[in-house]
Amino acid sequence: MLAAIGVPSVDALYQDVPAAFRTGEIEGLPHHQSEMAVERALGRIAARNVPAGSVPFFAGCGAYKHHVPATVDHIIQRSEFMTAYTPYQPEIAQGTLQYLFEFQTQVAALTGMEVANASMWDGSTAAAEAVLMAHRLTKRNKAVLFGNLHPHYRAVIETISRYAHYETMALPSAPNTEFVESVDAETSCVVVQYPGVFGGARDLSALAELVHKAGALLIVVVTEAISFGALRSPGSMGADIVAAEGQSIGNGLNFGGPYLGLFATRQKFLRQMPGRLCGQTVDEDGKRGFVLTLSTREQHIRRDKATSNICTNSGLCSLAFTAHMTLLGEAGLRKLARLNHANAVALADKLAAVPGVEIVTRHFFNEFTIRTPKPGAAVIDALVDEGVIGGVPASRLFPGEERLDDLIIVAATETNTSGDRDAYAAALAKVLA
Amino acid sequence: MTDMTTKFFAKGAQPSTHTGNRGLQIEEPLIFEAGALETSGVDFEEPEAFESRLGDVERHDSIGLPGLSEPETMRHYVRLSQKNYSIDTGIFPLGSCTMKHNPRINEKMARLPGFGDIHPLQPQKTIQGAIELMAVLSEWLTKLTGMPAVALSPKAGAHGELCGMTAIRAALEARGEAQTRRVVLVPDSAHGTNPATAALLGFEVRAVAADKDGTVRAAAVREALGPDVAAMMITNPNTCGLFEPEIAEIAAALHEAGAFLYCDGANFNAIAGRVRPGDLGIDAMHINLHKTFSTPHGGGGPGSGPVVFSESLAPFAPLPLIRKDGDSFALIENESETQGEHPFGRLVAFHGQMGMFVRAVSYMLSFGVDGVRQASEDAVLNANYIRAGLRDVMSQPFGDKVCMHEVLFDDSFLKGTGLSTLDFAKAMIDEGFHPMTVYFPLVVHGAMLIEPTESEGKQSLDQFIGALRSLVRAATQGDAERFKGAPHYAPRRRLDETRAARQPVLSYSPAQSKAAE
Amino acid sequence: MAEPRYTSDHEYIRVENGIGTIGISQYAQDKLGDIVFVELPAVGKVLSKGQEAAVVESVKAASEVYAPVSGEVVEVNEAIVANPELVNQDPEGNAWFLKIRIANPRELDQLMPEQAYKDYLETVE
């Protein structure tokens, strides 16, 4: 090959690199290993973690332990899906494009919106993109962040806003907060979570009306996608943009990523939407086919005038979502959502019977907040020693907010058994005794 | 019988079938046309009686989403998959995209319950291994780049750009220069994400033209510099497949003027193990784990874009931070727990693309530092071999010279044929290849950017070269129909993108489905 | 009909009774290819010369239409928003973009008459 190229050595191919910057072997890193050795090395590291499936498990707050059917994991490992690129050559990417079209249809229906894109990186970045989109649409610069918004989501929005010179106003965080009159003529949007980070779910219609009256937009954040099967859709309550985390459907916990941002809005806002869109068309023979469309919004064409810088999104995670959703169908999703809610209600009843424990959240889907007589972080830590992962202490998400220190956010899903609930209640009673 | 045979061949070269299928090419309806609202392929236990606590938000209306049984679901997606081209099918020579082999050991490792089934907010004592894995990845990335710090949380390359440019803004803020330094220099040949990222943060983008050899001169950068310049974003090796020979001088010029150098690391796979970006004076660079470190592209993601930082930017790296104390590890999730660092904030909920971290580390351990270096060399060797095989029949915009991991052609060899780069690319599909990257970089007319990666053997490259040479011959001999009508043998012929954009149909509705027929 | 004048960015303006009709040239339409989307300014908007007045998009390109001279928007052509393909069919006739009340007629002197624009196109090619 070198002879065909006409160079004496591979080194000669690096001739444009000034000699001073051509390095020898970099020190301190291991040499290649066999597949068996790699399995051993990574197996040892993995064994230092406690998998959610190995203990009674009740942590949520934006990432949920759900069952992923074997069919879904097989489908996403099909070579033709997993090792394909973004479908820029539609004639040989109809597989990817058709599932994206189906995915967009499902997301629009679940959220109660008119159009959905082909995914964002995750729920938090989708929420930040929603805020930027609202600024473009309203030509205003201030986002009001409701007190029930996941603090990481709030931080992501605050970070981009701070450095891009937009304003944010975060309302105090607490379970069961009331809406504070804080929408003014500068406000482009109000961001509210549904159900909230403390688990509470309530009607957003009145809020939507108030926001719209002020000429602002309502952004609804959803972190638990299974809730779409049990709760009224954000669209039916007046949402203008829905930014959601889709992990719960088809995707494992994966320590926080890769996850799947869902992004849906009204038809009239389509042109300001970020991210890729798949659209239906026909080919030269008149056969139905699908293409990426409205690309002039995107960075590879519009460059510094693009609606977003996003390029790679969450392709394969959206396949997991849409395949799981297809397997469930509406009937299955509703059953699954009902089972989640039932397990949460059963858990709440069990925990309420533990002396000293108070259930703080009145209406909830599969997640609620409890108040314990000892600091939440210490309780969760002690529960680990009893073999139970009992939720997320509010102090982990709201450090420094001492009034929340005695709260624990607890999630229940279809994966919990009554034995898990009993184990939790018994361990909690022991820890609090 | 006779009648059927006649009809079968009636439409000429394309026989028509009752189903519309053609052997293994099977037409597949949308799930909304095939499924039913009451069908479900998943079984659940019935919960014991309970009292709903959903309050006034309980859903009573139908969602309108049909389901399929398990075998129907499997068949639907397997049939769809068969309409896709993939790396496992054949060479995927997309320049700038790095479509290399995705080893399955990586998938197996990512699916270990100790990695795949852990929650981002579990107590830290139950996820020591997860943080250890992040520390191992950090060590590899900092050593390979010769840079002291890394942020793992960016979700993809463009997110990494946002991370790096935000750190630059934070550093400028700390110097009291955030208001005065508002310009970012970007070469014309840059990926679209670069100007888009700069604009997202409110920077003004100023273009820098490359020299006629396709690389950027330090003199041109010096000329564009002023007290208003915050940074330059440059890709190295650049999008023309060339190493920027004056990169160190460019870095020095920027630093002297009080500005930073951001490097788009999309092409790190050409130099990993051979050149350390830190030695070149780069201040921040993202590394696409889905390019250089073999995590699958997945039809458009998920990616992962960790960012390495120089000493001057390291203190501003975003949350979370990783701490190691002997064999015990900690994730610093809040600013109050930092020790002397000034994280610019948080880029994303949780800690980044753990699933991709595991796959990348699995690749790193398998290849080793020696293998990573050889992979870079083989990628460069393969690209040059393609260049050598095509240089006498296709045209190179900057002359025939050594390239890095990708080789760039323009459309001047098609002059007089009446054919475009797009026609040429579509004809490659009929030959069983995914086309190269076309019309990028924008600075080259009718660009064709070919990146074979190290995964291709000589036989595969020879076949690819042979096919392209025969296409060039056909094009210059006036066989226009082969190109204009291409692809002939794909699951779909050329699709009407104008129609898709004029009347956008972005979700299924029975009415629109009918209208399309 | 009044004689059109052109900019180097391929906008034209045709002036009658102090009102300028603005659109994109035949050449611009041809370069863009199939037009799929047009965005027009609000009536009443005051534009200064060189300011972005409208956006026109094909499948693979987006292009801003700049005001050739300063003035207030008095009318926009909704027909091309509903049917962007009209811009391909008759860019310098029925598929005009907007009309403005010209603020400073002297700015017109800086624009190219038809022949000068034709000569300019030769240099662009």
PDB file of all heavy atoms in Angstrom, chain B residues 397-422:
ATOM      1  N   PRO B 397      -9.045  19.369  -4.875  1.00  0.00           N
ATOM      2  CA  PRO B 397      -9.074  20.842  -4.914  1.00  0.00           C
ATOM      3  C   PRO B 397      -7.747  21.483  -4.541  1.00  0.00           C
ATOM      4  O   PRO B 397      -7.447  22.578  -4.998  1.00  0.00           O
ATOM      5  CB  PRO B 397     -10.168  21.216  -3.906  1.00  0.00           C
ATOM      6  CG  PRO B 397     -10.308  20.020  -3.023  1.00  0.00           C
ATOM      7  CD  PRO B 397      -9.989  18.835  -3.869  1.00  0.00           C
ATOM      8  N   PHE B 398      -6.947  20.810  -3.709  1.00  0.00           N
ATOM      9  CA  PHE B 398      -5.711  21.445  -3.260  1.00  0.00           C
ATOM     10  C   PHE B 398      -4.482  20.708  -3.795  1.00  0.00           C
ATOM     11  O   PHE B 398      -3.412  20.761  -3.216  1.00  0.00           O
ATOM     12  CB  PHE B 398      -5.687  21.524  -1.730  1.00  0.00           C
ATOM     13  CG  PHE B 398      -6.910  22.202  -1.172  1.00  0.00           C
ATOM     14  CD1 PHE B 398      -7.811  21.502  -0.388  1.00  0.00           C
ATOM     15  CD2 PHE B 398      -7.175  23.528  -1.460  1.00  0.00           C
ATOM     16  CE1 PHE B 398      -8.948  22.124   0.111  1.00  0.00           C
ATOM     17  CE2 PHE B 398      -8.301  24.160  -0.970  1.00  0.00           C
ATOM     18  CZ  PHE B 398      -9.197  23.453  -0.185  1.00  0.00           C
ATOM     19  N   GLY B 399      -4.667  20.006  -4.895  1.00  0.00           N
ATOM     20  CA  GLY B 399      -3.545  19.285  -5.481  1.00  0.00           C
ATOM     21  C   GLY B 399      -3.364  17.918  -4.819  1.00  0.00           C
ATOM     22  O   GLY B 399      -3.953  17.622  -3.790  1.00  0.00           O
ATOM     23  N   ASP B 400      -2.518  17.115  -5.445  1.00  0.00           N
ATOM     24  CA  ASP B 400      -2.312  15.752  -4.945  1.00  0.00           C
ATOM     25  C   ASP B 400      -1.218  15.758  -3.888  1.00  0.00           C
ATOM     26  O   ASP B 400      -0.035  15.776  -4.196  1.00  0.00           O
ATOM     27  CB  ASP B 400      -1.928  14.837  -6.113  1.00  0.00           C
ATOM     28  CG  ASP B 400      -1.761  13.400  -5.653  1.00  0.00           C
ATOM     29  OD1 ASP B 400      -2.574  12.958  -4.804  1.00  0.00           O
ATOM     30  OD2 ASP B 400      -0.827  12.738  -6.110  1.00  0.00           O
ATOM     31  N   LYS B 401      -1.645  15.774  -2.630  1.00  0.00           N
ATOM     32  CA  LYS B 401      -0.640  15.721  -1.565  1.00  0.00           C
ATOM     33  C   LYS B 401      -1.163  14.830  -0.449  1.00  0.00           C
ATOM     34  O   LYS B 401      -2.363  14.521  -0.387  1.00  0.00           O
ATOM     35  CB  LYS B 401      -0.326  17.122  -1.060  1.00  0.00           C
ATOM     36  CG  LYS B 401      -1.531  17.891  -0.559  1.00  0.00           C
ATOM     37  CD  LYS B 401      -1.101  19.248  -0.025  1.00  0.00           C
ATOM     38  CE  LYS B 401      -2.273  19.998   0.569  1.00  0.00           C
ATOM     39  NZ  LYS B 401      -1.894  21.279   1.141  1.00  0.00           N
ATOM     40  N   VAL B 402      -0.265  14.454   0.415  1.00  0.00           N
ATOM     41  CA  VAL B 402      -0.594  13.545   1.506  1.00  0.00           C
ATOM     42  C   VAL B 402      -1.744  14.107   2.352  1.00  0.00           C
ATOM     43  O   VAL B 402      -1.780  15.307   2.647  1.00  0.00           O
ATOM     44  CB  VAL B 402       0.660  13.332   2.388  1.00  0.00           C
ATOM     45  CG1 VAL B 402       0.286  12.713   3.721  1.00  0.00           C
ATOM     46  CG2 VAL B 402       1.664  12.458   1.649  1.00  0.00           C
ATOM     47  N   CYS B 403      -2.701  13.240   2.667  1.00  0.00           N
ATOM     48  CA  CYS B 403      -3.824  13.672   3.499  1.00  0.00           C
ATOM     49  C   CYS B 403      -3.762  12.937   4.832  1.00  0.00           C
ATOM     50  O   CYS B 403      -2.922  12.068   5.033  1.00  0.00           O
ATOM     51  CB  CYS B 403      -5.147  13.395   2.791  1.00  0.00           C
ATOM     52  SG  CYS B 403      -5.431  11.641   2.453  1.00  0.00           S
ATOM     53  N   MET B 404      -4.651  13.288   5.704  1.00  0.00           N
ATOM     54  CA  MET B 404      -4.733  12.571   6.975  1.00  0.00           C
ATOM     55  C   MET B 404      -5.703  11.400   6.807  1.00  0.00           C
ATOM     56  O   MET B 404      -5.583  10.637   5.888  1.00  0.00           O
ATOM     57  CB  MET B 404      -5.156  13.534   8.089  1.00  0.00           C
ATOM     58  CG  MET B 404      -4.084  14.558   8.445  1.00  0.00           C
ATOM     59  SD  MET B 404      -2.951  13.977   9.755  1.00  0.00           S
ATOM     60  CE  MET B 404      -1.649  13.290   8.818  1.00  0.00           C
ATOM     61  N   HIS B 405      -6.728  11.303   7.656  1.00  0.00           N
ATOM     62  CA  HIS B 405      -7.612  10.128   7.690  1.00  0.00           C
ATOM     63  C   HIS B 405      -8.720  10.205   6.657  1.00  0.00           C
ATOM     64  O   HIS B 405      -9.554   9.316   6.583  1.00  0.00           O
ATOM     65  CB  HIS B 405      -8.228  10.046   9.070  1.00  0.00           C
ATOM     66  CG  HIS B 405      -9.077  11.252   9.339  1.00  0.00           C
ATOM     67  ND1 HIS B 405      -8.558  12.532   9.340  1.00  0.00           N
ATOM     68  CD2 HIS B 405     -10.394  11.374   9.555  1.00  0.00           C
ATOM     69  CE1 HIS B 405      -9.532  13.387   9.562  1.00  0.00           C
ATOM     70  NE2 HIS B 405     -10.658  12.727   9.691  1.00  0.00           N
ATOM     71  N   GLU B 406      -8.796  11.309   5.904  1.00  0.00           N
ATOM     72  CA  GLU B 406      -9.841  11.439   4.891  1.00  0.00           C
ATOM     73  C   GLU B 406      -9.283  12.196   3.710  1.00  0.00           C
ATOM     74  O   GLU B 406      -8.372  13.018   3.851  1.00  0.00           O
ATOM     75  CB  GLU B 406     -11.092  12.136   5.451  1.00  0.00           C
ATOM     76  CG  GLU B 406     -10.841  13.496   6.075  1.00  0.00           C
ATOM     77  CD  GLU B 406     -12.022  13.982   6.927  1.00  0.00           C
ATOM     78  OE1 GLU B 406     -13.001  13.232   7.105  1.00  0.00           O
ATOM     79  OE2 GLU B 406     -11.944  15.113   7.428  1.00  0.00           O
ATOM     80  N   VAL B 407      -9.833  11.886   2.529  1.00  0.00           N
ATOM     81  CA  VAL B 407      -9.319  12.515   1.318  1.00  0.00           C
ATOM     82  C   VAL B 407     -10.462  13.258   0.626  1.00  0.00           C
ATOM     83  O   VAL B 407     -11.589  12.754   0.534  1.00  0.00           O
ATOM     84  CB  VAL B 407      -8.651  11.477   0.383  1.00  0.00           C
ATOM     85  CG1 VAL B 407      -9.572  10.315   0.056  1.00  0.00           C
ATOM     86  CG2 VAL B 407      -8.172  12.137  -0.916  1.00  0.00           C
ATOM     87  N   LEU B 408     -10.145  14.474   0.193  1.00  0.00           N
ATOM     88  CA  LEU B 408     -11.171  15.357  -0.363  1.00  0.00           C
ATOM     89  C   LEU B 408     -11.027  15.484  -1.883  1.00  0.00           C
ATOM     90  O   LEU B 408      -9.939  15.757  -2.386  1.00  0.00           O
ATOM     91  CB  LEU B 408     -11.043  16.745   0.287  1.00  0.00           C
ATOM     92  CG  LEU B 408     -11.981  17.852  -0.201  1.00  0.00           C
ATOM     93  CD1 LEU B 408     -13.439  17.494   0.073  1.00  0.00           C
ATOM     94  CD2 LEU B 408     -11.638  19.179   0.491  1.00  0.00           C
ATOM     95  N   PHE B 409     -12.150  15.278  -2.575  1.00  0.00           N
ATOM     96  CA  PHE B 409     -12.201  15.512  -4.023  1.00  0.00           C
ATOM     97  C   PHE B 409     -13.231  16.600  -4.296  1.00  0.00           C
ATOM     98  O   PHE B 409     -14.111  16.856  -3.474  1.00  0.00           O
ATOM     99  CB  PHE B 409     -12.587  14.229  -4.763  1.00  0.00           C
ATOM    100  CG  PHE B 409     -11.584  13.120  -4.617  1.00  0.00           C
ATOM    101  CD1 PHE B 409     -11.773  12.103  -3.690  1.00  0.00           C
ATOM    102  CD2 PHE B 409     -10.433  13.096  -5.399  1.00  0.00           C
ATOM    103  CE1 PHE B 409     -10.839  11.085  -3.541  1.00  0.00           C
ATOM    104  CE2 PHE B 409      -9.493  12.078  -5.260  1.00  0.00           C
ATOM    105  CZ  PHE B 409      -9.698  11.075  -4.330  1.00  0.00           C
ATOM    106  N   ASP B 410     -13.124  17.242  -5.464  1.00  0.00           N
ATOM    107  CA  ASP B 410     -14.162  18.182  -5.866  1.00  0.00           C
ATOM    108  C   ASP B 410     -14.811  17.670  -7.152  1.00  0.00           C
ATOM    109  O   ASP B 410     -14.489  16.573  -7.619  1.00  0.00           O
ATOM    110  CB  ASP B 410     -13.608  19.609  -6.006  1.00  0.00           C
ATOM    111  CG  ASP B 410     -12.579  19.730  -7.116  1.00  0.00           C
ATOM    112  OD1 ASP B 410     -12.541  18.842  -7.995  1.00  0.00           O
ATOM    113  OD2 ASP B 410     -11.820  20.704  -7.115  1.00  0.00           O
ATOM    114  N   ASP B 411     -15.717  18.459  -7.712  1.00  0.00           N
ATOM    115  CA  ASP B 411     -16.508  17.943  -8.840  1.00  0.00           C
ATOM    116  C   ASP B 411     -15.937  18.360 -10.199  1.00  0.00           C
ATOM    117  O   ASP B 411     -16.600  18.204 -11.218  1.00  0.00           O
ATOM    118  CB  ASP B 411     -17.966  18.376  -8.708  1.00  0.00           C
ATOM    119  CG  ASP B 411     -18.141  19.890  -8.747  1.00  0.00           C
ATOM    120  OD1 ASP B 411     -17.120  20.609  -8.820  1.00  0.00           O
ATOM    121  OD2 ASP B 411     -19.292  20.354  -8.687  1.00  0.00           O
ATOM    122  N   SER B 412     -14.718  18.898 -10.219  1.00  0.00           N
ATOM    123  CA  SER B 412     -14.244  19.377 -11.533  1.00  0.00           C
ATOM    124  C   SER B 412     -14.021  18.215 -12.508  1.00  0.00           C
ATOM    125  O   SER B 412     -14.093  18.409 -13.708  1.00  0.00           O
ATOM    126  CB  SER B 412     -13.016  20.280 -11.408  1.00  0.00           C
ATOM    127  OG  SER B 412     -12.043  19.697 -10.607  1.00  0.00           O
ATOM    128  N   PHE B 413     -13.803  16.997 -12.003  1.00  0.00           N
ATOM    129  CA  PHE B 413     -13.654  15.865 -12.934  1.00  0.00           C
ATOM    130  C   PHE B 413     -14.981  15.523 -13.608  1.00  0.00           C
ATOM    131  O   PHE B 413     -15.013  14.771 -14.581  1.00  0.00           O
ATOM    132  CB  PHE B 413     -13.073  14.641 -12.204  1.00  0.00           C
ATOM    133  CG  PHE B 413     -14.038  13.915 -11.304  1.00  0.00           C
ATOM    134  CD1 PHE B 413     -14.754  12.825 -11.781  1.00  0.00           C
ATOM    135  CD2 PHE B 413     -14.246  14.327  -9.984  1.00  0.00           C
ATOM    136  CE1 PHE B 413     -15.646  12.146 -10.951  1.00  0.00           C
ATOM    137  CE2 PHE B 413     -15.134  13.661  -9.166  1.00  0.00           C
ATOM    138  CZ  PHE B 413     -15.837  12.567  -9.645  1.00  0.00           C
ATOM    139  N   LEU B 414     -16.085  16.074 -13.103  1.00  0.00           N
ATOM    140  CA  LEU B 414     -17.397  15.829 -13.723  1.00  0.00           C
ATOM    141  C   LEU B 414     -17.755  16.907 -14.742  1.00  0.00           C
ATOM    142  O   LEU B 414     -18.813  16.853 -15.374  1.00  0.00           O
ATOM    143  CB  LEU B 414     -18.489  15.772 -12.645  1.00  0.00           C
ATOM    144  CG  LEU B 414     -18.463  14.548 -11.713  1.00  0.00           C
ATOM    145  CD1 LEU B 414     -19.496  14.715 -10.596  1.00  0.00           C
ATOM    146  CD2 LEU B 414     -18.720  13.262 -12.492  1.00  0.00           C
ATOM    147  N   LYS B 415     -16.875  17.905 -14.887  1.00  0.00           N
ATOM    148  CA  LYS B 415     -17.150  19.021 -15.785  1.00  0.00           C
ATOM    149  C   LYS B 415     -17.436  18.512 -17.200  1.00  0.00           C
ATOM    150  O   LYS B 415     -16.719  17.652 -17.714  1.00  0.00           O
ATOM    151  CB  LYS B 415     -15.954  19.974 -15.814  1.00  0.00           C
ATOM    152  CG  LYS B 415     -16.380  21.403 -16.066  1.00  0.00           C
ATOM    153  CD  LYS B 415     -15.278  22.379 -15.735  1.00  0.00           C
ATOM    154  CE  LYS B 415     -15.855  23.790 -15.780  1.00  0.00           C
ATOM    155  NZ  LYS B 415     -14.846  24.786 -15.519  1.00  0.00           N
ATOM    156  N   GLY B 416     -18.495  19.016 -17.790  1.00  0.00           N
ATOM    157  CA  GLY B 416     -18.821  18.614 -19.151  1.00  0.00           C
ATOM    158  C   GLY B 416     -19.670  17.348 -19.229  1.00  0.00           C
ATOM    159  O   GLY B 416     -20.189  17.017 -20.288  1.00  0.00           O
ATOM    160  N   THR B 417     -19.851  16.639 -18.108  1.00  0.00           N
ATOM    161  CA  THR B 417     -20.663  15.421 -18.149  1.00  0.00           C
ATOM    162  C   THR B 417     -22.137  15.744 -17.902  1.00  0.00           C
ATOM    163  O   THR B 417     -23.003  14.902 -18.137  1.00  0.00           O
ATOM    164  CB  THR B 417     -20.229  14.424 -17.060  1.00  0.00           C
ATOM    165  OG1 THR B 417     -20.434  15.039 -15.781  1.00  0.00           O
ATOM    166  CG2 THR B 417     -18.770  14.037 -17.206  1.00  0.00           C
ATOM    167  N   GLY B 418     -22.396  16.947 -17.390  1.00  0.00           N
ATOM    168  CA  GLY B 418     -23.769  17.285 -17.028  1.00  0.00           C
ATOM    169  C   GLY B 418     -24.197  16.640 -15.718  1.00  0.00           C
ATOM    170  O   GLY B 418     -25.366  16.713 -15.330  1.00  0.00           O
ATOM    171  N   LEU B 419     -23.274  16.011 -15.050  1.00  0.00           N
ATOM    172  CA  LEU B 419     -23.609  15.324 -13.796  1.00  0.00           C
ATOM    173  C   LEU B 419     -23.103  16.116 -12.605  1.00  0.00           C
ATOM    174  O   LEU B 419     -22.101  16.814 -12.688  1.00  0.00           O
ATOM    175  CB  LEU B 419     -22.982  13.929 -13.785  1.00  0.00           C
ATOM    176  CG  LEU B 419     -23.416  12.994 -14.909  1.00  0.00           C
ATOM    177  CD1 LEU B 419     -22.627  11.694 -14.851  1.00  0.00           C
ATOM    178  CD2 LEU B 419     -24.919  12.715 -14.819  1.00  0.00           C
ATOM    179  N   SER B 420     -23.808  15.952 -11.480  1.00  0.00           N
ATOM    180  CA  SER B 420     -23.423  16.650 -10.259  1.00  0.00           C
ATOM    181  C   SER B 420     -22.824  15.649  -9.282  1.00  0.00           C
ATOM    182  O   SER B 420     -22.911  14.431  -9.465  1.00  0.00           O
ATOM    183  CB  SER B 420     -24.647  17.300  -9.629  1.00  0.00           C
ATOM    184  OG  SER B 420     -25.531  16.285  -9.185  1.00  0.00           O
ATOM    185  N   THR B 421     -22.249  16.218  -8.225  1.00  0.00           N
ATOM    186  CA  THR B 421     -21.746  15.389  -7.129  1.00  0.00           C
ATOM    187  C   THR B 421     -22.839  14.466  -6.604  1.00  0.00           C
ATOM    188  O   THR B 421     -22.606  13.299  -6.314  1.00  0.00           O
ATOM    189  CB  THR B 421     -21.234  16.314  -6.010  1.00  0.00           C
ATOM    190  OG1 THR B 421     -20.034  16.937  -6.467  1.00  0.00           O
ATOM    191  CG2 THR B 421     -20.937  15.563  -4.735  1.00  0.00           C
ATOM    192  N   LEU B 422     -24.067  15.016  -6.493  1.00  0.00           N
ATOM    193  CA  LEU B 422     -25.174  14.204  -5.980  1.00  0.00           C
ATOM    194  C   LEU B 422     -25.449  13.012  -6.895  1.00  0.00           C
ATOM    195  O   LEU B 422     -25.642  11.885  -6.418  1.00  0.00           O
ATOM    196  CB  LEU B 422     -26.438  15.056  -5.839  1.00  0.00           C
ATOM    197  CG  LEU B 422     -27.600  14.350  -5.152  1.00  0.00           C
ATOM    198  CD1 LEU B 422     -27.318  14.179  -3.656  1.00  0.00           C
ATOM    199  CD2 LEU B 422     -28.909  15.117  -5.334  1.00  0.00           C
TER     200      LEU B 422
END
